Amino acid sequence: MPRFGGGAPKCKRCEKSVYAAEELKALGFVWHKTCFKCSGCEKRLESGKEVEHDEKPWCKNCYGKRFGPKGVGGGATAGCLQTSEEGKSSSKYKNTNQPAKQLNLGTQEKCVFCEKTVYAAEKLIVLNKIFHKTCVKCKGCSKVMSPGDVLEHENDIYCKHCHTNTFGPEGTK
């Protein structure tokens, strides 16, 4: 906003004066740092991490829910989806930030033990095989183990105690 009479610029949201210590420039406007919030959920945003629609800032999640494709990904992934209407947008401001990672719904990794899909948050690679964290179990006693405690025998995994008792030298059983 233009400065009248040499005063401070006005915040796009609250229209009060913005002084240098509290100034944030985004979407071609000046904002108080505390006023630069998502127009949907009111979560504070960082400059460059917002998505713009009708000169208002939105977090990626709210933008996807409100303006994204209908009937798909209404949850946390909604902000990652692209619509064919993005190129037709009449807004003069564009968010040029690219997402760090593209959502890939192609081949999904399966757990060697239970054969169910393994997602990144629950994935462990033990002896070059993919497991859920809770599926890394000793074949002998079913104890859940950490990757450093695993011993292998003929493609099965064992804890140190069971491996020694089952396959160790006769004097250690």
Side-chain angles (χ1 to χ4, degrees):
M1 304 291 294
R3 298 176 188 208
F4 295 105
K10 302 295 180 195
C11 174
K12 171 73 172 152
R13 186 177 191 111
C14 71
E15 299 181 359
K16 294 180 181 174
S17 295
V18 179
Y19 299 99
E22 57 189 2
E23 181 180 277
L24 184 140
K25 292 182 180 180
L27 305 176
F29 297 99
V30 176
W31 310 74
H32 290 106
K33 290 177 184 175
T34 55
C35 287
F36 192 62
K37 298 177 181 179
C38 172
S39 297
C41 67
E42 298 286 315
K43 181 176 84 173
R44 283 184 58 184
L45 300 170
E46 293 178 41
S47 181
K49 305 246 177 165
E50 77 284 349
V51 181
E52 180 272 334
H53 187 81
D54 290 336
E55 297 183 349
K56 295 179 184 174
W58 297 82
C59 68
K60 291 180 181 181
N61 210 10
C62 289
Y63 178 86
K65 286 178 185 176
R66 190 126 189 208
F67 307 108
K70 304 296 181 226
V72 179
T77 60
C80 302
L81 300 174
Q82 270 187 312
T83 65
S84 60
E85 297 194 11
E86 282 180 342
K88 300 176 188 174
S89 175
S90 61
S91 173
K92 58 186 171 184
Y93 302 105
K94 298 286 182 211
N95 185 350
T96 58
N97 293 328
Q98 295 298 319
K101 232 177 172 179
Q102 293 293 330
L103 183 62
N104 180 9
L105 298 176
T107 58
Q108 295 179 339
E109 298 173 309
K110 302 285 185 189
C111 174
V112 173
F113 183 76
C114 70
E115 299 181 357
K116 293 182 181 175
T117 301
V118 179
Y119 299 99
E122 57 190 3
K123 179 179 176 180
L124 268 183
I125 299 176
V126 178
L127 302 171
N128 293 323
K129 297 176 187 163
I130 297 170
F131 290 88
H132 292 103
K133 290 177 182 176
T134 56
C135 288
V136 181
K137 296 180 182 178
C138 173
K139 185 175 181 184
C141 66
S142 298
K143 174 182 147 189
V144 176
M145 300 178 290
S146 62
D149 297 333
V150 173
L151 295 172
E152 182 181 28
H153 185 82
E154 295 179 358
N155 287 330
D156 291 322
I157 58 175
Y158 295 89
C159 67
K160 292 176 184 176
H161 177 75
C162 290
H163 188 271
T164 302
N165 285 343
T166 308
F167 308 108
E170 290 298 318
T172 59
K173 293 183 184 177

